[in-house]
Amino acid sequence: MTPQIRITYRPNSTPLSYTASPFKLLCRDICLALRYAWALPFAFLPLRIGRTDHLDELYPSVRTGVSAGFQVLLAVYQVLFLLSIPVAIIFMVPGVWIFLYILATVTLNHVFCMVVLNGSQRLIVSRVPVPEQPSHSDERWFFINGIAGSHSWVQQNVDQLSYTFGRKITGIHNRTYGQVATQSITIVLANSIFRSGFVFDLIECLIQRCFSYATGDIRSAYPLVKNALLDPTCQKVVFILHSQGGIEGGLVIDWLLDALPHDLLQHLEVYTFANAANHFNNPTRKWFPKSNGSHSSTLLEQDRSVGFIEHYANTVDIVAWIGVFHFINIPNRYMGRLFVHPGSGHLLNQHYLDPMFTLGPDHKVLENNPFMDMEVETNSEKMPEEDCEQTLLPTSDSQGSPDKIDSQVLRVKDFSRLWKYRNGGSPTD
């Protein structure tokens, strides 16, 4: 039986446009997070400790223990810090002492995160021994991680991506601290506060998503992707995004759509996992035959600006519920095909790559796994209009067509373009 997930929209809860008032968006996002808070405990489940590979985020090791333990302590530290500010104001602590307290707390928080979690490198390149084929010399592969991404976790991410797709992967480290700033003195103070750890990273996500604010990692990613697309020796740019990286990658794409001609954007391919963005643009471009030096009214060809976009999400992942699941069915809001995996968890290696692109003992992707062999239906079943419901099968949208049909049985692997890149392969364009 084909697994299904039912996503419900009610007429009075249509999401705001992502160009609406940032403060209204912020309020809606907070309510949305509370609505799906039930899924938060499943972000790290299943643990699969006995079956995890050394590249998995929760693989039992000293490095994992130090990183995870520090993140827990940091989360408690940050929550207590945020709660202490209104208490200090209520008890009328002098402003200068509150300022010094904030300065000392934030400085200590930042120093510990830089030393223990972040490191000094913005770019993290895969370092596993994967021989690249000569046909890959005209490709560039980039990755942006999600929240609470320590240097070691991002290194594990790019290494597993490298094994999976047989290419060198360059990770743009979305460090576990925010760099939020505006012209107002209030947000300048926030820039000093939201600088490190899981709790502050969540606040940074809200600011990025609701205010469309470009933090340092977004500004680092944009020229890398843009220059690769402008490089005449580069014929393909693959952009892989996870969680908060979906917000950042979406903003990068917005900038690219403004800056580059569409024929160059056709070389860009985007693949997201647990995308947290509230929009994902890919406008239609139209071609008209020329007649006597002017455009005729006859449409010759129509396609999307960005070459390919695919989204992958677990059914029990709070980030997917407040991101891609919540917005995917809004027309022209969230472009790309969606692949739904009936499982839980939010970690990239452990809960997405492992079940979807399962590696064997030789670090090669196995040709079969339960997700890619899952049967799918090509058309979504419309529910009664008064309920405003729609059932989303493992795949949705209609970008492209399956590569093969075996006795009329369609499987996820027949639709997934990313699957064709496994073990150094390439799809047929």
Side-chain angles (χ1 to χ4, degrees):
M1 182 176 180
T2 303
Q4 298 183 359
I5 175 174
R6 183 167 297 174
I7 300 175
T8 303
Y9 297 103
R10 302 193 180 279
N12 60 356
S13 62
T14 302
L16 291 170
S17 167
Y18 68 91
T19 58
S21 164
F23 296 100
K24 289 183 179 179
L25 289 171
L26 182 62
C27 292
R28 283 289 184 95
D29 277 359
I30 292 173
C31 293
L32 189 63
L34 294 175
R35 176 182 174 185
Y36 295 114
W38 59 267
L40 185 59
F42 298 96
F44 296 95
L45 298 175
L47 292 176
R48 301 168 63 240
I49 295 297
R51 295 183 290 118
T52 54
D53 184 82
H54 72 282
L55 291 176
D56 285 345
E57 291 88 347
L58 299 182
Y59 180 79
S61 66
V62 174
R63 181 177 61 182
T64 300
V66 171
S67 180
F70 190 78
Q71 286 282 9
V72 172
L73 292 175
L74 202 59
V76 175
Y77 175 86
Q78 292 169 352
V79 169
L80 292 177
F81 166 68
L82 293 175
L83 293 175
S84 68
I85 299 300
V87 172
I89 295 174
I90 291 173
F91 284 94
M92 295 183 290
V93 176
V96 64
W97 290 111
I98 295 178
F99 175 79
L100 292 175
Y101 167 67
I102 293 174
L103 183 63
T105 304
V106 168
T107 301
L108 185 63
N109 183 89
H110 179 67
V111 169
F112 274 117
C113 278
M114 287 300 296
V115 173
V116 180
L117 298 176
N118 287 327
S120 59
Q121 293 178 296
R122 173 71 74 179
L123 299 183
I124 300 176
V125 181
S126 57
R127 57 189 184 189
V128 294
V130 174
E132 289 193 88
Q133 302 176 20
S135 59
H136 300 161
S137 61
D138 61 352
E139 298 179 3
R140 305 290 184 274
W141 287 61
F142 300 104
F143 166 71
I144 301 182
N145 61 285
I147 65 172
S150 66
H151 182 278
S152 60
W153 272 18
V154 179
Q155 185 68 63
Q156 289 170 266
N157 291 155
V158 295
D159 285 348
Q160 181 146 340
L161 288 169
S162 184
Y163 275 134
T164 301
F165 302 113
R167 273 91 168 172
K168 181 178 74 173
I169 309 292
T170 299
I172 299 109
H173 189 189
N174 167 25
R175 293 173 178 171
T176 178
Y177 63 83
Q179 295 180 350
V180 183
T182 67
Q183 300 301 316
S184 69
I185 187 65
T186 303
I187 305 300
V188 169
L189 179 60
N191 180 47
S192 299
I193 296 177
F194 306 143
R195 294 191 65 87
S196 309
F198 182 80
V199 176
F200 291 167
D201 283 354
L202 291 176
I203 298 173
E204 181 190 42
C205 283
L206 293 176
I207 295 174
Q208 286 177 329
R209 179 163 132 159
C210 299
F211 291 81
S212 297
Y213 186 78
T215 48
D217 22 302
I218 298 174
R219 297 176 184 276
S220 296
Y222 171 67
L224 286 175
V225 178
K226 179 182 177 181
N227 291 338
L229 289 169
L230 290 171
D231 185 351
T233 65
C234 179
Q235 297 301 311
K236 182 178 295 185
V237 177
V238 177
F239 205 13
I240 300 176
L241 311 168
H242 175 233
S243 184
Q244 184 189 4
I247 301 175
E248 302 189 348
L251 292 176
V252 170
I253 291 173
D254 289 346
W255 288 1
L256 293 172
L257 289 168
D258 286 339
L260 296 182
H262 287 188
D263 59 331
L264 290 181
L265 288 172
Q266 280 290 297
H267 299 294
L268 177 63
E269 300 183 17
V270 186
Y271 303 96
T272 80
F273 296 88
N275 197 334
N278 63 4
H279 72 281
F280 222 81
N281 283 326
N282 191 13
T284 300
R285 64 172 186 169
K286 299 179 180 180
W287 297 81
F288 296 89
K290 290 186 177 181
S291 177
N292 298 325
S294 62
H295 292 295
S296 76
S297 59
T298 303
L299 179 64
L300 177 65
E301 186 177 348
Q302 177 172 312
D303 55 15
R304 294 290 176 182
S305 300
V306 177
F308 295 91
I309 298 177
E310 290 180 351
H311 307 287
Y312 296 79
N314 286 333
T315 54
V316 186
D317 184 344
I318 184 174
V319 177
W321 276 100
I322 65 178
V324 60
F325 284 159
H326 192 69
F327 301 101
I328 189 68
N329 284 338
I330 303 174
N332 298 316
R333 170 87 174 245
Y334 221 101
M335 307 310 299
R337 173 180 289 154
L338 171 65
F339 295 84
V340 181
H341 173 246
S344 64
H346 181 66
L347 301 177
L348 178 64
N349 290 4
Q350 202 156 324
H351 299 133
Y352 281 96
L353 296 180
D354 283 355
M356 296 180 182
F357 300 87
T358 309
L359 296 178
D362 59 351
H363 291 106
K364 297 289 186 180
V365 178
L366 302 178
E367 288 304 308
N368 297 95
N369 65 64
F371 174 67
M372 286 296 171
D373 292 335
M374 184 187 300
E375 296 181 15
V376 301
E377 296 178 13
T378 56
N379 295 319
S380 297
E381 177 187 353
K382 292 289 184 179
M383 303 301 291
E385 189 67 24
E386 61 270 20
D387 292 335
C388 295
E389 294 181 342
Q390 186 176 30
T391 299
L392 215 63
L393 302 180
T395 61
S396 70
D397 197 6
S398 57
Q399 182 177 324
S401 59
D403 288 347
K404 61 180 180 179
I405 300 178
D406 182 11
S407 302
Q408 302 302 315
V409 175
L410 302 178
R411 305 184 186 279
V412 172
K413 64 173 62 176
D414 300 325
F415 288 87
S416 171
R417 181 177 175 86
L418 188 58
W419 174 253
K420 308 300 188 299
Y421 284 110
R422 70 193 185 282
N423 299 328
S426 295
T428 301
D429 292 327

